[in-house]
Each structure stands twice: as C-alpha cells, then as structure tokens.
Short mmCIF file of all heavy atoms in Angstrom, two decimals:
data_model
loop_
_atom_site.label_atom_id
_atom_site.label_comp_id
_atom_site.label_asym_id
_atom_site.label_seq_id
_atom_site.Cartn_x
_atom_site.Cartn_y
_atom_site.Cartn_z
N LEU A 227 0.82 -1.22 0.00
CA LEU A 227 0.00 0.02 0.01
C LEU A 227 0.87 1.25 -0.01
O LEU A 227 0.29 2.35 0.10
CB LEU A 227 -0.91 0.02 1.23
CG LEU A 227 -1.89 -1.18 1.33
CD1 LEU A 227 -2.67 -1.09 2.63
CD2 LEU A 227 -2.79 -1.25 0.13
N SER A 228 2.15 1.14 -0.10
CA SER A 228 3.01 2.27 -0.05
C SER A 228 3.28 2.83 -1.43
O SER A 228 4.24 2.55 -2.08
CB SER A 228 4.36 1.89 0.64
OG SER A 228 5.23 2.99 0.67
N MET A 229 2.37 3.70 -1.89
CA MET A 229 2.51 4.25 -3.21
C MET A 229 3.63 5.22 -3.32
O MET A 229 4.38 5.23 -4.33
CB MET A 229 1.20 4.95 -3.66
CG MET A 229 -0.03 4.01 -3.77
SD MET A 229 0.30 2.68 -4.95
CE MET A 229 0.50 3.62 -6.49
N PHE A 230 3.87 6.02 -2.24
CA PHE A 230 4.96 6.97 -2.29
C PHE A 230 6.28 6.23 -2.27
O PHE A 230 7.20 6.59 -2.91
CB PHE A 230 4.86 7.92 -1.11
CG PHE A 230 5.93 9.01 -1.10
CD1 PHE A 230 6.02 9.90 -2.12
CD2 PHE A 230 6.82 9.04 -0.05
CE1 PHE A 230 6.98 10.90 -2.15
CE2 PHE A 230 7.82 10.04 -0.07
CZ PHE A 230 7.88 10.97 -1.08
N GLY A 231 6.38 5.10 -1.49
CA GLY A 231 7.61 4.34 -1.47
C GLY A 231 7.89 3.70 -2.84
O GLY A 231 9.02 3.68 -3.29
N LYS A 232 6.85 3.28 -3.53
CA LYS A 232 7.00 2.70 -4.85
C LYS A 232 7.52 3.78 -5.85
O LYS A 232 8.36 3.51 -6.69
CB LYS A 232 5.71 2.09 -5.36
CG LYS A 232 5.28 0.81 -4.70
CD LYS A 232 3.99 0.29 -5.26
CE LYS A 232 3.59 -1.02 -4.54
NZ LYS A 232 2.31 -1.54 -5.00
N GLU A 233 6.93 4.97 -5.68
CA GLU A 233 7.36 6.05 -6.55
C GLU A 233 8.83 6.41 -6.31
O GLU A 233 9.59 6.63 -7.24
CB GLU A 233 6.49 7.32 -6.25
CG GLU A 233 6.85 8.52 -7.09
CD GLU A 233 6.15 9.79 -6.70
OE1 GLU A 233 5.37 9.73 -5.69
OE2 GLU A 233 6.37 10.86 -7.30
N LYS A 234 9.25 6.47 -5.03
CA LYS A 234 10.67 6.76 -4.76
C LYS A 234 11.56 5.69 -5.32
O LYS A 234 12.61 6.02 -5.91
CB LYS A 234 10.87 6.85 -3.22
CG LYS A 234 10.35 8.11 -2.61
CD LYS A 234 10.98 8.44 -1.28
CE LYS A 234 10.64 7.36 -0.26
NZ LYS A 234 11.16 7.66 1.08
N ALA A 235 11.21 4.42 -5.13
CA ALA A 235 12.03 3.34 -5.67
C ALA A 235 12.09 3.40 -7.21
O ALA A 235 13.16 3.21 -7.76
CB ALA A 235 11.44 2.00 -5.21
N SER A 236 10.94 3.67 -7.84
CA SER A 236 10.96 3.74 -9.32
C SER A 236 11.81 4.88 -9.83
O SER A 236 12.53 4.75 -10.83
CB SER A 236 9.49 3.85 -9.82
OG SER A 236 8.73 2.73 -9.50
N LYS A 237 11.70 6.02 -9.16
CA LYS A 237 12.50 7.20 -9.61
C LYS A 237 14.00 6.97 -9.37
O LYS A 237 14.83 7.39 -10.14
CB LYS A 237 12.02 8.45 -8.87
CG LYS A 237 10.69 8.93 -9.39
CD LYS A 237 10.32 10.32 -8.81
CE LYS A 237 9.05 10.87 -9.40
NZ LYS A 237 8.66 12.16 -8.96
N MET A 238 14.33 6.25 -8.25
CA MET A 238 15.73 5.90 -8.01
C MET A 238 16.23 4.93 -9.07
O MET A 238 17.35 5.05 -9.56
CB MET A 238 15.85 5.34 -6.64
CG MET A 238 17.31 4.94 -6.30
SD MET A 238 18.55 6.30 -6.51
CE MET A 238 18.00 7.43 -5.24
N ALA A 239 15.37 3.99 -9.50
CA ALA A 239 15.75 3.07 -10.53
C ALA A 239 16.07 3.81 -11.83
O ALA A 239 17.09 3.56 -12.50
CB ALA A 239 14.65 2.05 -10.81
N LEU A 240 15.22 4.78 -12.23
CA LEU A 240 15.50 5.56 -13.43
C LEU A 240 16.75 6.38 -13.28
O LEU A 240 17.53 6.47 -14.21
CB LEU A 240 14.30 6.49 -13.67
CG LEU A 240 12.98 5.87 -14.18
CD1 LEU A 240 11.88 6.95 -14.30
CD2 LEU A 240 13.18 5.18 -15.48
N HIS A 241 16.98 6.92 -12.07
CA HIS A 241 18.16 7.74 -11.83
C HIS A 241 19.44 6.89 -12.06
O HIS A 241 20.40 7.32 -12.69
CB HIS A 241 18.13 8.30 -10.41
CG HIS A 241 19.33 9.03 -10.01
ND1 HIS A 241 19.71 10.27 -10.52
CD2 HIS A 241 20.32 8.72 -9.09
CE1 HIS A 241 20.84 10.68 -9.99
NE2 HIS A 241 21.22 9.75 -9.13
N LEU A 242 19.45 5.69 -11.49
CA LEU A 242 20.58 4.78 -11.62
C LEU A 242 20.77 4.35 -13.07
O LEU A 242 21.91 4.22 -13.59
CB LEU A 242 20.41 3.58 -10.69
CG LEU A 242 20.48 3.92 -9.21
CD1 LEU A 242 20.16 2.64 -8.37
CD2 LEU A 242 21.84 4.43 -8.82
N ILE A 243 19.68 4.04 -13.76
CA ILE A 243 19.77 3.58 -15.13
C ILE A 243 20.32 4.71 -16.01
O ILE A 243 21.27 4.47 -16.84
CB ILE A 243 18.35 3.18 -15.65
CG1 ILE A 243 17.93 1.87 -15.02
CG2 ILE A 243 18.37 3.03 -17.19
CD1 ILE A 243 16.46 1.51 -15.24
N TRP A 244 19.88 5.92 -15.81
CA TRP A 244 20.37 7.02 -16.65
C TRP A 244 21.85 7.35 -16.33
O TRP A 244 22.56 7.87 -17.18
CB TRP A 244 19.50 8.29 -16.41
CG TRP A 244 18.10 8.13 -16.90
CD1 TRP A 244 17.63 7.28 -17.84
CD2 TRP A 244 16.96 8.91 -16.49
NE1 TRP A 244 16.30 7.42 -18.02
CE2 TRP A 244 15.84 8.41 -17.22
CE3 TRP A 244 16.77 9.91 -15.56
CZ2 TRP A 244 14.53 8.92 -17.04
CZ3 TRP A 244 15.46 10.44 -15.38
CH2 TRP A 244 14.39 9.93 -16.14
N ALA A 245 22.27 7.06 -15.09
CA ALA A 245 23.66 7.32 -14.70
C ALA A 245 24.57 6.22 -15.22
O ALA A 245 25.73 6.47 -15.62
CB ALA A 245 23.79 7.44 -13.21
N ILE A 246 24.14 4.97 -15.19
CA ILE A 246 25.01 3.83 -15.51
C ILE A 246 25.00 3.46 -17.04
O ILE A 246 26.03 3.09 -17.57
CB ILE A 246 24.58 2.60 -14.68
CG1 ILE A 246 24.82 2.90 -13.20
CG2 ILE A 246 25.40 1.36 -15.08
CD1 ILE A 246 24.34 1.80 -12.28
N LYS A 247 23.89 3.65 -17.71
CA LYS A 247 23.81 3.29 -19.14
C LYS A 247 24.88 4.02 -19.95
O LYS A 247 25.53 3.40 -20.83
CB LYS A 247 22.41 3.55 -19.69
CG LYS A 247 21.49 2.32 -19.64
CD LYS A 247 20.26 2.58 -20.43
CE LYS A 247 19.38 1.30 -20.47
NZ LYS A 247 18.12 1.55 -21.21
N PRO A 248 25.08 5.33 -19.79
CA PRO A 248 26.12 6.00 -20.58
C PRO A 248 27.50 5.42 -20.33
O PRO A 248 28.37 5.39 -21.22
CB PRO A 248 26.06 7.46 -20.10
CG PRO A 248 24.65 7.61 -19.62
CD PRO A 248 24.28 6.30 -19.00
N MET A 249 27.73 4.92 -19.12
CA MET A 249 29.03 4.28 -18.82
C MET A 249 29.21 3.00 -19.59
O MET A 249 30.31 2.64 -20.07
CB MET A 249 29.18 4.03 -17.31
CG MET A 249 29.09 5.28 -16.45
SD MET A 249 28.96 4.90 -14.69
CE MET A 249 30.55 4.18 -14.37
N ILE A 250 28.05 2.29 -19.80
CA ILE A 250 28.12 1.07 -20.62
C ILE A 250 28.32 1.45 -22.07
O ILE A 250 29.17 0.79 -22.75
CB ILE A 250 26.79 0.29 -20.47
CG1 ILE A 250 26.65 -0.23 -19.07
CG2 ILE A 250 26.74 -0.88 -21.47
CD1 ILE A 250 25.28 -0.89 -18.76
N GLU A 251 27.69 2.47 -22.56
CA GLU A 251 27.85 2.91 -23.93
C GLU A 251 29.25 3.34 -24.28
O GLU A 251 29.82 3.10 -25.34
CB GLU A 251 26.89 4.04 -24.24
CG GLU A 251 25.41 3.64 -24.29
CD GLU A 251 25.08 2.72 -25.43
OE1 GLU A 251 25.87 2.66 -26.42
OE2 GLU A 251 24.00 2.09 -25.41
N ARG A 252 29.91 4.00 -23.25
CA ARG A 252 31.31 4.47 -23.45
C ARG A 252 32.31 3.36 -23.18
O ARG A 252 33.49 3.63 -23.27
CB ARG A 252 31.55 5.69 -22.52
CG ARG A 252 30.73 6.89 -22.86
CD ARG A 252 31.24 8.11 -22.11
NE ARG A 252 31.18 7.94 -20.67
CZ ARG A 252 30.19 8.41 -19.94
NH1 ARG A 252 29.13 9.02 -20.49
NH2 ARG A 252 30.19 8.26 -18.59
#
C-alpha cells in the first residue's frame, strides 16, 4: 500500500539507469 515508497524506488531506478547506461555505452 506504499504508493509513495514505490514512486521513490521507481524514480531511483530511473536515476541509476540514466547514470550507468552511458558508462556502458562508453
């Protein structure tokens, strides 16, 4: 039932993906 917790986790997932993917590309 923790919608705000899910939102925080999802946004952190996007943040990590956007930070790490360019390192993979390079």
